[in-house]
Amino acid sequence: MAESILKIENFTMHYMTKAGEVSAVDNVSLEIRKGESLGLVGESGCGKTSLAISIMKLLPENAVIKGGHIYFDGTDLVPLSEDEMRRFRWRRISMIFQAAMNSLNPVYRVSDQIIEAMETHFGNIDYSEAREKVANLFRLVGLDPKFMDQYPHEYSGGMRQRAVIAMALACEPDLIIADEPTTALDVIVQDNILRELKALQEKLGTTMIYISHDIAVIAEVSHRIGIMYAGKLVELADAEEIFHHPIHPYTAGLMSAFPSIIGPKRELVTIPGEPPDLLNPPSGCRFHPRCQYATEICREKEPEFKDYGSGHMASCWNPLEG
Amino acid sequence: MLRYVLRRLGQIVITLFVFLTLVYFLLEAQPGDYAQTFLSNPKLTKEQREALKAQFGLDRPLWERYLRYMGSLLKGNLGISFEHYPRSVVSVIAERAPRTILLFLTAQILSFLLGFSAGKVLAWRRGQAFEYVLTIGGVTLYTVFTPWFGLMMIWIFAYILHLFPVGKFVTPTLWRGAPVDANYVFIRILLSAFVASLALFLVLLATRRLNLALRRGLRGAGVLIILAGLLAYWLPSGITRYALDILYHLILPVMTLTLINFAGMMLLTRNSMLETMREDFVMAARAKGLPDGVIRDKHVARNAMLPVITSFIFSIAFVLDGGVITETVFSWPGMGLTLLEAAVAQDIPMVMGGLVFTGTLALLGHLVADMTYAYLDPRIRYT
Ligand SMILES: Nc1ncnc2c1ncn2[C@@H]1O[C@H](COP(=O)(O)OP(=O)(O)O)[C@@H](O)[C@H]1O
Ligand SMILES: [Mg+2]
């Protein structure tokens, strides 16, 4: 088994708001091995982005880390200062944002924005060499290098997305976090880009975290899948395993809410209700108000996140199988 | 680009024509004029009076005078000033305009730099004590009654502290026997500033795509060469002491105008910064591991500056608004003061000339604003 590159231990992060504390990430533990691709799935508002930006420590001012550790390649990032973090950002961990379309500064040429990242981390690089590198990155992500000196507004949505991916690869990071990288694009472009991302990841051996609310999309590109609900990691297993033997009713619900590419055709059923307001998350298991299997204990006590065999982890009082 | 500029220049000429026609007939409609006072001198005989009238062309009907005025305007002739008789209006403007331009351009650029830097810091480091001090101080100065504030500044810095001269734009004793007139020096100062800024801009532009170390080295060298060039021009010229005298007189009015005006830029910059800071590319810049200062200046401020620049260039175009008051308070004999005197004395050709000048300046300023904006924002195309 390859060594682990990222190890999150009991990580908890809250947002302070006028209305109270939002428990956006609650006691999450997770380990990712080098070269692995992990999918993070959950409905909107379940804390996926919050967890992602916690790893890069790109938190807004009102965010408070309540506890836990994030070990990246052996270093705990949680206590690091902003200046110390800068050496990790982009050089070691880069990110493709949810709003990837707007991640490029409108007033600079795309090539210059990519070179800026390389210059920041590699220092005094030769300009023409850097340009050559940008051209290679462009080819890598399926863009014609002749577009590299254009401005972002001259690109189509799909091109911008590819440029952002090229930028994320610029400093050859060990880990790339892709937060809903294709949500804003149309379905066909989405599909192409995802497939290319996966090919790139396999070719370069980069570790990836894919984030999406669509479990079908994630299943295509990830080795392992983590399911987030209301700030908690509720299930974590190999992609195959989670598809064929989901333990948490929420996972099963997510799967029936999206057309499956792997499984047989079946009727789509969405989970009734919405994720809870994280200002006052439900007691016990946070999913219990929406769970058709909920019993007394689900309301009262939080289930433990435990191993159901061969690394299939879940937290549920009434597991579907097992 | 060239076509755009030409088309805009055409529009400017038309706008100017309409503006001048309106102003011409408005001024004609005013009761009484300079000629009237001039001509009612009882010592003049009827024949002399008629001769004078004919000389000024005042015996012709209105439409003919209008056509004649516009005709000579096309040839760059604005007529003879009554007040400064027999000097031509153009020569009076050529003498007064550089003084006004130097004073207000300096003040505007300083206000911009001060306001922009302050606004940047205010937005970036919110909620600290100096935020309130700067905001309240700036807004107080912004809303203060200009003549009163100008007089206070003169009273404190010139009268009590004796740091600066009380008014005027030169020390007459120093200039007695000077080899050149003040205008010569004014124009040289303006030209040097223009050439130096242009050179600095070109250096920045030319070194944009170089390796980090080379870029920094060349930029440093460029700045040194420009400074050396300025020294090489001014030191042996023999007029440096006169230029310094003018600059010395410039300090107090510039300081006053800057203090009054910077808050506008500051608040505008602050708001624009706060808005830009919410953009996704700012988060991306942070994720890229860029240093805080680079994110603030290169990414946020560079975008936030766009609306501020527009407002800045417009304000330059309308300097004569405040010019009348400021020039009066500091007895600065520029265009504002000249226009005021001409209006009081009903020196119609001079007033017209002043308005031609102001109008042209305002319209050209508008064009420059549009072009600068299009240069700074690649999303805008010349259309
Ligand atoms: N800056 C913030 N301040 C307060 N609450 C926030 C902030 N950002 C996100 N939240 C809240 O945190 C929760 C998790 O959000 P997020 O991490 O964006 O979820 P996801 O990416 O899964 O959609 C949501 O309830 C959201 O409203
Ligand atoms: Mg999200």
Side-chain angles (χ1 to χ4, degrees), chain A residues 70-263:
Chain A
I70 296 177
Y71 295 101
F72 178 81
D73 210 8
T75 313
D76 188 0
L77 302 181
V78 170
L80 292 193
S81 71
E82 189 68 10
D83 258 350
E84 291 165 321
M85 252 337 273
R86 286 210 300 112
R87 286 182 292 113
F88 284 89
R89 290 188 189 142
W90 226 252
R91 176 71 196 86
R92 309 292 312 271
I93 312 170
S94 70
M95 186 157 176
I96 303 164
F97 285 96
Q98 189 159 8
M101 301 277 289
N102 303 322
S103 300
L104 294 165
N105 190 326
V107 304
Y108 295 114
R109 293 170 202 280
V110 174
S111 55
D112 286 343
Q113 301 192 43
I114 299 181
I115 292 174
E116 180 186 41
M118 299 199 270
E119 203 166 62
T120 304
H121 295 286
F122 301 137
N124 186 30
I125 43 169
D126 183 65
Y127 189 75
S128 49
E129 234 169 72
R131 284 184 62 83
E132 193 44 50
K133 226 179 137 191
V134 174
N136 285 334
L137 286 169
F138 263 53
R139 279 180 215 114
L140 200 61
V141 299
L143 275 176
D144 191 327
K146 77 175 179 212
F147 296 121
M148 66 192 243
D149 288 328
Q150 291 192 347
Y151 290 94
H153 73 274
E154 297 172 277
Y155 281 31
S156 69
M159 285 169 74
R160 252 183 272 181
Q161 188 61 47
R162 286 164 201 267
V164 165
I165 294 171
M167 186 151 86
L169 297 171
C171 298
E172 292 153 25
D174 305 294
L175 170 67
I176 300 178
I177 304 171
D179 186 2
E180 315 230 8
T182 57
T183 315
L185 302 171
D186 71 67
V187 185
I188 298 172
V189 183
Q190 250 187 49
D191 221 47
N192 285 340
I193 289 186
L194 266 182
R195 216 169 295 139
E196 284 162 27
L197 252 182
K198 187 188 180 198
L200 271 176
Q201 188 252 330
E202 279 163 5
K203 182 169 154 195
L204 305 174
T206 320
T207 316
M208 290 275 298
I209 298 178
Y210 288 97
I211 296 175
S212 177
H213 58 273
D214 182 339
I215 196 168
V217 164
I218 287 296
E220 272 192 273
V221 290
S222 311
H223 302 134
R224 272 199 313 154
I225 292 180
I227 308 286
M228 276 194 86
Y229 185 75
K232 290 192 154 292
L233 190 67
V234 295
E235 185 159 2
L236 178 69
D238 287 348
E240 285 283 306
E241 169 73 13
I242 220 165
F243 253 85
H244 296 296
H245 310 286
I247 288 177
H248 204 287
Y250 180 60
T251 310
L254 280 179
M255 280 191 292
S256 46
F258 289 99
S260 164
I261 299 167
I262 305 170

